[in-house]
Amino acid sequence: MTQHLDLDQALTEAEPTDTGWWRDAVIYQVYPRSFADGNGDGMGDIPGIRERLPYLRDLGVDAVWLSPFYASPQADAGYDVADYRAIDPMFGTLHDADGLIRDAHRLGLRVIVDLVPNHSSDQHEWFKRALREGPGSALRSRYHFLPGKGENGELPPNDWESVFGGPAWTRAEDGEWFLHLFAPEQPDFNWEHAAVRDEFRSILRFWLDMGVDGFRIDVAHGLVKAEGLPDIGDHEQLKLLGNDVLPFFDQDGVHEIYRSWRLILEEYDGERIGVAEAWTPTVDRTANYLRPDELHQAFNFQYLSTGWDAVALREVIDLSLDAMRPVGAPTTWVLSNHDVVRHLTRLGGGVRRARAASLLMLALPGSAYIYQGEELGLPEVTGLPDEVRQDPAFFRAAGQDGFRDGCRVPMPWTAEGTSYGFGAGGSWLPQPAEWELLSVEAQSGDPDSTLELYRSALAVRRAHAGLGAGTAVEWTEAPAGVLAFRRPGGFACTVNTTGEPVTIQAPGRVLLASAPVEVEPEGVIALPADTTVWWAV
Ligand code: NOJ
């Protein structure tokens, strides 16, 4: 029996919740260039997303987070913004964005947009003027321009490295250097400058007035740099997790910014939220971003970085829940996004393990993030030819976790047709031929498919109100390599992370399983390898 779903049972066990919508929300990340192409130019766009919103409603998610769609030269796939109040023509118009927000709301979906405050594009009006107006000009002080070291200023001002590899400084023609923690086309703002702070408060209001329900804040840990931009010295510079605090990340000064943003969010009705993309050394430091007067959620990268190992998973789950309790914020869970190798490939156990990992994630209390295509069981696309790649990290030769085009290949919607229904034209990255079988069309209605597993899981999660709520995970005894826990309201979850079947006593009746399971009449079950089961107990 696979994916058996007993909604009646789940409904009777639902417990009331008085928390905000975002505390247990399932949030679906749309990567606009790769979701759906409305105009057939091979690149996804807002009209394409609008057409597919009913798919997201039917999948059962609560909110959509859209990666950047702003005017941008696309040096880093839109994370290089030239105008924060305009849509890139490649994605559509402001009118389209307005329509998208309205359509989503009509369907009961909230909309979170990406805000990129650490850096702009080098084509942003301020930066172009800063370059033009030269050393000492007013516009230069909105970025980090400095003279170089060495006899003729030929050396960068300090030893910081870019996350994409190579020095974090580029020299302008007039001899000054400017800071870019990412690509040279992404100069870092100087957040000590009042004009930068004012501008972003105004940008927040612009999008809140458009009706968005929240912001995912890019590089939320990077805005403030240590005074004097000190050298790091002999240090493992860019380990994003588990590091000491670096002079360009997670500085205490960032929190004042989020406190001022929270006041703006609170001015609006409807519980608008801020979500931090904050790579901090520990989950405890992540919790600092979520104090009651700061942001609402932060991505749990410690969880994403944990391998398929029962002991490590239990540890990171406990650690994450414990870290958030003192600040009263929900824990979040995430397995995939547009920056990392898709979890189906990363966890190393194919679709079977990926499905088990997804059911584990969706059984945990707090908010869960789904990256487009994971509900189809899409693998990372490896072996893309160099000439189609666009990730700037690839060109700078040292990326974060490898190169990121392989998780950005456009979605397959239909089993046949040009680009598997992504659009009427081609697709900006080639889709593997096997994706025909992974398309939404091929999987819809097939009870064994990964898409139907996600639909069922989200339906149970929604009906069983206790599942995402609170912070309680009660671990129960289990053989080595197996995770077993109970959640309030008569729910249990068992995860076999090993490569062998493990015999256990069934704790109740199967609600949903990531692979076929058979319970013997006397309640014994050989839990198959890499399998998660949800139980009504
Ligand atoms: C994090 C984003 O998720 C990533 O895609 C981007 O390259 C960097 N921030 C820089 O904006």
Side-chain angles (χ1 to χ4, degrees), residues 31 74-80 116 118-120 160-169 180-188 218-219 237-238 240 248-249 277 279 338-339 390-404 408:
Y31 194 63
Q74 306 288 321
D76 183 20
Y79 283 96
D80 49 320
V116 189
N118 180 66
H119 44 264
S120 69
W160 298 359
E161 282 175 11
S162 149
V163 174
F164 292 156
W169 296 89
H180 53 86
L181 291 181
F182 295 87
E185 297 86 353
Q186 295 167 294
D188 280 49
D218 189 62
V219 200
Q237 290 211 29
L238 283 172
L240 289 174
F248 44 82
F249 281 160
E277 188 227 10
W279 293 83
H338 66 294
D339 288 332
Q390 297 203 8
D391 180 1
F394 178 76
F395 300 103
R396 287 178 73 83
Q400 7 166 203
D401 298 320
F403 308 118
R404 303 170 297 170
R408 298 175 177 182

Side-chain angles (χ1 to χ4, degrees), residues 20-87:
W21 69 268
W22 45 277
R23 288 191 169 270
D24 58 356
V26 176
I27 302 177
Y28 185 98
Q29 181 187 359
V30 166
Y31 194 63
R33 37 168 64 213
S34 303
F35 190 64
D37 173 14
N39 66 0
D41 67 355
M43 188 60 82
D45 50 33
I46 298 177
I49 300 169
R50 281 180 79 178
E51 273 170 41
R52 301 290 183 181
L53 285 175
Y55 165 79
L56 297 178
R57 189 254 335 257
D58 296 345
L59 180 60
V61 301
D62 301 292
V64 178
W65 149 37
L66 300 145
S67 281
F69 48 25
Y70 313 106
S72 161
Q74 306 288 321
D76 183 20
Y79 283 96
D80 49 320
V81 181
D83 183 347
Y84 290 85
R85 297 180 185 80
I87 302 293

Side-chain angles (χ1 to χ4, degrees), residues 31 70 78 82 92 111 116-118 138 195 211 225 272 305 314 330 337 355 437:
Y31 194 63
Y70 313 106
V111 179
V116 189
N118 180 66
K225 277 72 181 176
R272 320 285 179 109
S305 313
R314 179 171 168 166
N337 66 33
R355 289 162 60 105
L437 299 173

Side-chain angles (χ1 to χ4, degrees), residues 3-14 455-465 467 509-512 534 536:
Q3 299 174 22
H4 169 72
L5 171 62
D6 189 340
L7 267 183
D8 286 345
Q9 174 77 18
L11 271 170
T12 56
E13 287 165 356
R455 285 179 174 155
S456 298
L458 295 181
V460 174
R461 198 182 145 100
R462 186 169 281 235
H464 188 106
L467 210 45
R509 201 165 40 76
V510 176
L511 271 178
L512 192 61
W534 286 7

